[in-house]
Structure formats: C-alpha cells, structure tokens
Amino acid sequence: MPDVHGHILVVDDIEENRDLLQRRLSRRGYDVVVTDSGERALEILAGGEIDLVLLDIMMPGLSGPETLAQIRQSSDQGSLPVIMVSAKNESEDIVQSLETGANDYISKPIDFPIAFARIETHLALKRADDALRSSEERFSLAMEGATEGLWDWDLKTDEVFFSTRWKAIVGHDDADLPNHISEWFDRIHEKDIDRVRTEINKHIDGISLRIDTTYRIRHANKTSRWVRTVGMARRDADGNPVRLAGSLSDVTEQILMDPHTDIPNRTHFRDSIDRAIARKERDENFDFGVIILELDSYQDLKSSVGHSVSEQLLQDFAQRLKAHTRPGDTVALIGEDSFAMLADDIGMVADAVRIAERARGIVEAPFDIFGEEITSTMSAGIATSYTAYDSAEDILRDATLGLRSAQELGGNCAQIVDPELHAQALARLHLEADLRRATVTEAFELHYQPIVDFNLGKITGFETLIRWDRPDHGPVSPVVFIPVAERTALINQIGKWVLNQACHQLAEWQKSISTPLDCVLNVNVSPRQIQQPDLAKQVADALADSGLDPRSLKIEITESAVLEDLDNAARTLERLHDLGVRIAIDDFGTGYSSLSTLLHVPIDTIKIDRSFTSTIESDPKAHQIVNAIINMAYSLGKDIVAEGIETKSQAAIIHDMGAQYGQGYLYSKPVPATQALDLLKDQLDGTNAPQMSVAI
Ligand code: C2E
Ligand code: MG
Ligand code: MG
C-alpha cells in the first residue's frame, strides 16, 4: 500500500454509497469525513481541514455542480481538488462540472483501483501546489524587504528571474528588462567578466561550495557599480545543476570609499585614472596629472602621539584637501597615509606642479587634534599624462617614485617624475647590489692625495680616498657610491675596511723608510659612521692592529655629521681625541659653518671647501668668506687646509691670507699607495716635484 494520507470529504445523499466509500478509503489509510448534503459540505469545508472532496452530482437541495460552484468561490483547483462522482447517465453534468472547476470525475459503480489512482494523483498535485504556494510566499516576502536583489537562473533555458531590486541596482524599472542571462552578463565589466564566469563554473563543477564574487556592472546611467553576487546551484538526483539562484548587492560604497576619511580609496582612484587614460586615448588634447602626497615624518608622529590622534590628523587633512580641490578633481586615500589627487584636464606639466604645491600649502596652518596642536610639512610626487602611460599602476608607480625622491631630498617639496627617474631608480638598485658584493669581497682600493705645507713646501700628510672599480662599469666616483652606502648602512663595513687599510698602509710606509716619517693620514668618516657607538673602539682596534701611532691619524668629518646628533658626535669625537687621534672638519663653508659647533667638539683642522678655492680669484664673495674662515680658525688655534688647489695663483692667494696647508691637483691627484710612497721617497731624497714648493 502506498504511503497515502489526507483528509477526504465524501458528500453523498445515499447512505449506502457513503458507507462503502468511507470503508474503502479508511482501509486505504485516509481520514474520511462523510456528509449527506451540499450545504453541510460547505460548512465542513469552512473548517479548512479537508484535502480533497468526492462530490456526488445528483443530490437534493444543493446539487453537486451547485455545491462545486460555491466551493470554487473560495478555493481553486490547486488548493482543494474536487472529484465528481457520477452515475452513467450524467455526462452533461460531468462536462458542466469540469467547466465549473472540478478536477476530475469517477463513475458509479465505482472501480476502486482507478478511483484510488485518481484520488492519489490529485492529492499529490495539491501537495506540490501547497509547497510552491508557501515557497512563493516566502520568496515574495523576502523580496519585499530585501536590499539585495534576487535572481534565479534556469540553466536549461537560460531564463533568469530578476527581482525588482536586482533590476533597480542596475538602474532599470521592473518592466523593461527581459528575463535572459545575457541581460546580466552583457552588463559585466569587460575586465571582470572572465573572472565571474570562472567563479560560476567552479561552483557548477562542484569545486566551490558557493558562488561569491565581486565585480563591476554597468548601470543604466552609464556609470559602473561594484556588486557582489552570492549564489548556489540546485541539482537534480544525479548531482547535475539545473538552476542557480542567489542574491546581488551593491557594494560600491564599501569597495570604493575609505571608511575613516570618507574619501575614495585606491581601487576607486585606479578606476578614475583608467577613465582618464581612456579619455586621453580618445582626445589627445586632454591631459591629466596624478599627485601623491604624504605628511613628512607621519610614522614618527604616529609613534609619538598615538594611533587615534594620527588617525584624526589624516581625517582632518582629508577634509582640508577635499575642500581645496577643483570640481572634477578626485582626492583619494591610496595607502595608510598616502593621499592622491587626479588633476583633470591640465594645460601643461607646470599646472600639475602648481596643484601639488597648493595641496602641500594646506598643511601650513596647524591642526588642532583633540586640543593638541600638530604641525607638519608635506611631500609630493607628480606624474602626468605627458608621458604616455597605458596603465593606472604605471602612473601611480611613477608618482610614488617622485614622492620618494622628494622625501629623500629632505621632504617638504614636490618632485615630478620623468621616465628617466624610473630608469635611474632601477640603475640604483643594481648599483646597490654590486656595492653589497664589493663590500663582502672588499673589492675597493685606497688612493692617497698629498696635503702640502705651504711654508715648508713639503708633504705633511695624505688624504685617503676610496676607489671602486665596478665590474662591467669601470671606476665609480665615491660621490656616487658613498651616499648609497650611507643609505644602506654598508658604509659601516666599508668605513671599517678603510680605517684598517689606511692604518696598515701608513705603518707599512713607516717601516719601509729608514728615516722617521712625519706624515699624517686623513681618513674620511661619514655621518652614519659617527652614529655608531663603537666608532672609537674601531679606530683604537685599527691602530692597535697596525701598530700605528694615534697622532699619525686624522679623522675627517663634515660639519653636518656633527650637527645631526651633536651630543653623540661630541662624545665619540671626544673619545677619539682622548686616544690621540686628531679631527678635521671637511668641506667647511658649505654647511652651517657654525662657530658654536667648533667650540663644542675637539677640532684640530678646518678644511676649506674646494668650491671657495676654485672661485677665489673670480668671486669677491668667496674671497671674503675664505678670509673670514681663516681668521676665525686662526683665532681659535685651528689648522687650515685649503682643498682643491689647482693653480699657482690660487695657492698664492690662500697662502697670503694665512692658510698653512693646501691640497689639490696642483700638487698631485689622489694616487695609488705605491705612487704615494714614491712621492714621500722623492721628498726625502730632495727630488720633489717643483710645484710642491711653489707657494713659498
Ligand atoms: P672629500 O673628502 O672632500 O675629498 C676631496 C675630493 O676632492 C676628492 O674627490 C678628491 O679627489 C677631490 N679633489 C682633490 N683635489 C682636487 C682638485 O684640485 N680639483 C678637483 N676637481 N677635485 C679635487 P673624490 O676622491 O672623488 O671623493 C669625493 C668624496 O667622497 C670625498 O670628498 C669624500 O666626501 C667621499 N669619500 C671619498 N673616500 C671616502 C672614504 O673612504 N670614506 C668616506 N666616508 N667618504 C669618502
Ligand atoms: Mg675629505
Ligand atoms: Mg672635502
């Protein structure tokens, strides 16, 4: 016996018929209610428990068809099946009943196997109808309240049900969008469509548990919206997908806006650049600039004032920036503390620079953050469409490069990027790698440039100058690679090597010459080296290791190296001085030239920068400065070395002013150790080159 259930109402005026039906149906497993009239039947049906009615046609009072007509006023064929029970000669009534809404009929005398089959069919249809009805109700309820659009895609026909909200998300009214899959896929952004298809196929193939993908879709107003689709497949008994259904939500705001500063984020900004690039392709007279801005020392500020203050600072800055931009320009936050501007429709490169400068100017007024006054400066990097870019990433990369070079220049400025800068950056990376290798293998050499005593006309010392023969490139000037070594901290290792090498070299010379050698070796020490707490120890070790007398060594440092961290530098220099090592200030006159620095640290020698020496004859100002420096040094009891002496007259002028020592090509270029030793030997033999004594 099949698994049947349901409440059946039997309506028949003849008791015999009612009893027979009741008995057979009950035995079959149904709950059976019986009644003898149409009127009574309607009352029972009002109670709502009945699933199917067996209705006799011929009855006194309300006939079968009349009763049916009344039933159909409140219930349709799907919700309440009615099967007419007829005698053989009632065919007309059967036709009329079917027209009025009967579902089926059976004839008397009743053939029960057929009657059961029909009853069961109609009950099954009713159950299906009930299920559909309740799911539709749920569905429409869900749709009314939903902010998400719903979709249901029949994979066989490619018909898709789009909810009203779904259509609204893409800017369409309920009526004007055909139910076809192409209406959906044709709207997906060309850069996203392949990805969306892949995501859907992964789910259809059973690789992913559900579809969850975010992409751009074209709105009816021609803009693009970011939407997220989540969905699942309904599968048949064999596991083959028959339908896909799910939701669509508009996530444009989440995707494109920075939640803290409430301005567009990097994704949004990239889209804006993409649009600008596309416009440039259509209209060659259109040009735009991309400017990236960062507050100088934001990271330091963050660690000193805390997260919430620095976050608020960014928000306040975003508001100021927004208030200052021209309509049409985009302002965005593209990194933790990197702001960006897209300046639309500029007339020339200089316009972008002007806009960047104006943006930098808005941080001039201090920020009031939770009652705390914060001042900052700002750096900017600029790239423009005057360089042909075909991707947003490329132009962003170049603008960032400009920003970094502005920051390397000390910040508080803007740098525009030309494509060469990119090549330079690459070249520098390669240089860094080679320099690192050279440091490990100690592939450097020291050259020695004599320092000459004007009065005695002889060499009193040498400045050691590092040389690097870069593989596949040839000699690289220390002016180029020392700053790179500084930035990468390689200078500490290189500096150590220079110190050791120089000390050993002089010790070796002293040994190779029989007469005592009154010669001092100057070694350049860079700002970063001074910051090392163990510099004095490094020097002491090099001296001890080589056996060199500390008085034969002089350290050259620049004034800025001392000023960078005066207390620390003073301590280190003090320690060096205590060892017996002497100190020279290099390139004097180019920096602060501050007298107070000289009073704070133990200085023995001042080296006047080459830029003064080379212009001393032509530039009265240089003349005055050198004069002042010499007088000052003289009154403080410091030695003076004039760097970069190339001509006899330069030497004569400087000597007349009272300087004691000179160094420059006039006497000798920096030379390898063997040649330097030869110069020393010649001097001992009295066979010096004639120019050595020229200034006397
Ligand atoms: P500096 O210490 O001021 O060295 C003097 C520079 O002037 C040297 O350049 C030298 O070759 C050059 N020079 C000397 N006389 C003349 C002249 O008459 N005319 C001209 N045109 N130039 C002259 P160099 O060797 O290229 O070194 C440049 C800079 O690199 C040095 O300037 C120094 O700051 C740095 N440097 C060189 N060797 C080392 C080193 O071992 N350690 C560190 N930290 N820096 C070094
Ligand atoms: Mg020097
Ligand atoms: Mg110098």
Side-chain angles (χ1 to χ4, degrees):
M1 199 167 78
D3 176 24
V4 291
H5 64 271
H7 297 85
I8 297 180
L9 172 63
V10 174
V11 191
D12 202 314
D13 59 319
I14 298 165
E15 192 179 6
E16 216 175 289
N17 290 347
R18 288 200 301 270
D19 288 350
L20 175 67
L21 278 164
Q22 183 171 34
R23 245 192 348 267
R24 296 297 299 263
L25 287 168
S26 298
R27 230 188 286 157
R28 186 96 185 152
Y30 295 106
D31 290 323
V32 185
V33 181
V34 292
T35 182
D36 59 358
S37 73
E39 292 83 351
R40 185 73 195 107
L42 292 173
E43 282 171 29
I44 294 168
L45 288 172
E49 287 281 289
I50 302 301
D51 297 311
L52 183 140
V53 183
L54 288 176
L55 182 59
D56 185 23
I57 288 180
M58 203 58 114
M59 288 188 297
L62 273 183
S63 70
E66 285 163 354
T67 310
L68 174 68
Q70 297 232 10
I71 291 172
R72 284 290 170 256
Q73 282 177 14
S74 54
S75 325
D76 63 12
Q77 282 173 304
S79 63
L80 183 62
V82 175
I83 298 177
M84 307 306 288
V85 183
S86 70
K88 274 247 159 65
N89 55 358
E90 292 170 343
S91 57
E92 240 174 66
D93 294 311
I94 290 169
V95 172
Q96 192 212 328
S97 298
L98 289 172
E99 280 170 4
T100 322
N103 295 62
D104 209 343
Y105 72 95
I106 49 180
S107 308
K108 292 180 204 171
I110 294 170
D111 180 336
F112 274 95
I114 289 177
F116 287 147
R118 293 198 171 163
I119 288 168
E120 274 146 31
T121 301
H122 287 290
L123 280 173
L125 285 171
K126 174 189 157 53
R127 276 195 293 271
D129 189 77
D130 284 351
L132 186 65
R133 211 177 285 266
S134 63
S135 80
E136 265 174 7
E137 265 164 26
R138 273 201 305 273
F139 196 53
S140 70
L141 271 177
M143 279 193 306
E144 271 169 34
T147 50
E148 292 187 346
L150 299 174
W151 53 272
D152 185 351
W153 172 9
D154 184 328
L155 292 171
K156 275 206 195 79
T157 61
D158 269 349
E159 258 187 6
V160 188
F161 161 78
F162 298 115
S163 73
T164 310
R165 175 72 191 133
W166 196 104
K167 294 176 190 172
I169 289 175
V170 295
H172 280 268
D173 282 345
D174 210 7
D176 67 352
L177 203 72
N179 287 344
H180 196 267
I181 189 65
S182 58
E183 295 297 333
W184 182 354
F185 278 25
D186 290 352
R187 288 185 158 70
I188 298 177
H189 195 287
E190 57 175 30
K191 284 191 176 160
D192 298 334
I193 182 73
D194 289 344
R195 187 167 49 79
V196 174
R197 281 186 201 281
T198 309
E199 286 295 318
I200 292 174
N201 288 337
K202 260 167 45 186
H203 180 63
I204 287 180
D205 296 343
I207 298 167
S208 61
L209 282 176
R210 60 177 187 162
I211 300 162
D212 188 346
T213 173
T214 301
Y215 53 92
R216 282 159 290 183
I217 198 159
R218 198 178 60 254
H219 190 274
N221 67 11
K222 301 260 196 306
T223 63
S224 210
R225 306 292 299 174
W226 280 91
V227 291
R228 177 178 174 201
T229 287
V230 178
M232 281 183 88
R234 220 173 304 156
R235 294 170 193 274
D236 64 14
D238 299 328
N240 297 319
V242 283
R243 313 178 76 82
L244 286 177
S247 63
L248 179 89
S249 40
D250 188 328
V251 292
T252 310
E253 292 294 301
Q254 288 106 291
I255 293 269
L256 298 181
M257 299 301 280
D258 174 70
H260 298 297
T261 52
D262 200 26
I263 58 174
N265 62 16
R266 189 181 181 93
T267 309
H268 191 171
F269 194 66
R270 234 184 5 226
D271 284 353
S272 305
I273 299 177
D274 278 337
R275 274 200 300 278
I277 290 174
R279 185 167 160 199
K280 168 90 189 157
E281 275 165 16
R282 290 193 306 273
D283 172 8
E284 61 174 70
N285 292 322
F286 169 79
D287 276 294
F288 62 93
V290 169
I291 300 158
I292 300 186
L293 298 150
E294 274 182 17
L295 291 163
D296 292 325
S297 354
Y298 174 76
Q299 293 302 334
D300 293 346
L301 192 79
K302 191 170 146 187
S303 47
S304 66
V305 298
H307 185 71
S308 50
V309 173
S310 52
E311 186 105 305
Q312 188 61 43
L313 175 66
L314 293 183
Q315 287 176 24
D316 285 12
F317 175 73
Q319 292 318 314
R320 279 195 197 176
L321 196 57
K322 233 162 59 173
H324 279 79
T325 43
R326 306 177 306 173
D329 290 354
T330 309
V331 165
L333 183 70
I334 60 164
E336 186 201 346
D337 58 328
S338 299
F339 290 87
M341 290 175 72
L342 178 68
D344 235 6
D345 216 0
I346 55 173
M348 53 175 136
V349 174
D351 288 345
V353 179
R354 247 192 304 278
I355 292 166
E357 287 302 339
R358 225 182 12 238
R360 290 200 322 105
I362 67 175
V363 294
E364 269 168 19
F367 291 89
D368 179 358
I369 311 285
F370 306 136
E372 205 167 330
E373 190 169 285
I374 293 181
T375 47
S376 183
T377 53
M378 180 148 247
S379 297
I382 306 162
T384 70
S385 59
Y386 293 96
T387 301
Y389 288 102
D390 50 22
S391 94
E393 281 311 323
D394 286 355
I395 194 164
L396 278 171
R397 180 207 60 213
D398 276 5
T400 307
L401 224 60
L403 173 69
R404 297 292 167 246
S405 87
Q407 288 166 334
E408 270 173 29
L409 287 169
N412 198 15
C413 62
Q415 286 289 298
I416 188 144
V417 168
D418 54 309
E420 253 174 44
L421 209 63
H422 181 227
Q424 274 174 24
L426 267 185
R428 196 158 64 193
L429 282 178
H430 291 144
L431 179 82
E432 246 176 63
D434 285 356
L435 189 61
R436 204 171 292 277
R437 259 189 297 276
T439 306
V440 173
T441 58
E442 299 181 341
F444 304 107
E445 201 191 336
L446 287 185
H447 280 195
Y448 301 84
Q449 186 178 33
I451 295 169
V452 173
D453 183 326
F454 291 132
N455 295 323
L456 301 176
K458 59 176 252 195
I459 298 169
T460 58
F462 290 91
E463 176 173 7
T464 61
L465 293 157
I466 193 166
R467 294 292 176 260
W468 177 33
D469 192 5
R470 185 181 175 196
D472 304 325
H473 284 79
V476 182
S477 164
V479 178
V480 173
F481 73 83
I482 291 291
V484 177
E486 268 273 304
R487 215 166 31 80
T488 53
L490 286 171
I491 192 67
N492 292 339
Q493 261 171 283
I494 296 174
K496 226 180 199 172
W497 177 85
V498 170
L499 265 171
N500 276 306
Q501 183 69 16
C503 290
H504 278 93
Q505 189 58 73
L506 186 55
E508 203 181 288
W509 287 341
Q510 284 173 343
K511 270 183 226 144
S512 71
I513 294 171
S514 48
T515 37
L517 191 59
D518 186 16
C519 177
V520 172
L521 210 52
N522 286 20
V523 172
N524 291 287
V525 167
S526 82
R528 192 157 184 158
Q529 285 176 272
I530 298 275
Q531 304 302 327
Q532 301 174 102
D534 69 337
L535 181 70
K537 185 175 179 308
Q538 284 178 32
V539 172
D541 288 351
L543 289 168
D545 197 45
S546 60
L548 193 71
D549 185 326
R551 283 167 303 176
S552 302
L553 186 65
K554 195 179 274 185
I555 298 294
E556 289 194 11
I557 49 162
T558 58
E559 203 184 8
S560 58
V562 177
L563 287 174
E564 227 163 72
D565 186 356
L566 187 59
D567 290 345
N568 240 329
R571 220 171 301 134
T572 303
L573 295 178
E574 211 56 75
R575 254 181 240 147
L576 287 170
H577 218 242
D578 289 347
L579 288 174
V581 174
R582 277 171 286 177
I583 316 286
I585 290 277
D586 204 355
D587 306 340
F588 195 79
T590 54
Y592 297 86
S593 312
S594 120
L595 185 66
S596 61
T597 317
L598 299 181
L599 295 173
H600 271 95
V601 288
I603 306 272
D604 304 282
T605 303
I606 287 173
K607 296 187 79 176
I608 297 172
D609 191 67
R610 193 176 78 220
S611 55
F612 299 108
T613 313
S614 61
T615 53
I616 200 150
E617 290 166 286
S618 55
D619 183 357
K621 238 194 183 144
H623 196 281
Q624 277 171 357
I625 290 171
V626 173
N627 213 4
I629 293 173
I630 291 174
N631 287 333
M632 180 183 72
Y634 194 74
S635 60
L636 290 170
K638 318 285 182 199
D639 289 342
I640 292 279
V641 177
E643 297 185 299
I645 296 182
E646 293 184 353
T647 65
K648 289 178 187 175
S649 60
Q650 285 169 353
I653 293 170
I654 289 173
H655 182 225
D656 280 351
M657 285 179 177
Q660 229 175 308
Y661 304 99
Q663 175 186 352
Y665 292 174
L666 175 65
Y667 309 110
S668 167
K669 289 200 165 181
V671 291
T674 46
Q675 287 178 43
L677 180 60
D678 288 345
L679 287 173
L680 280 175
K681 282 180 176 163
D682 290 350
Q683 180 162 292
L684 290 172
D685 299 345
T687 54
N688 255 349
Q691 70 269 26
M692 291 289 179
S693 54
V694 78
I696 300 176

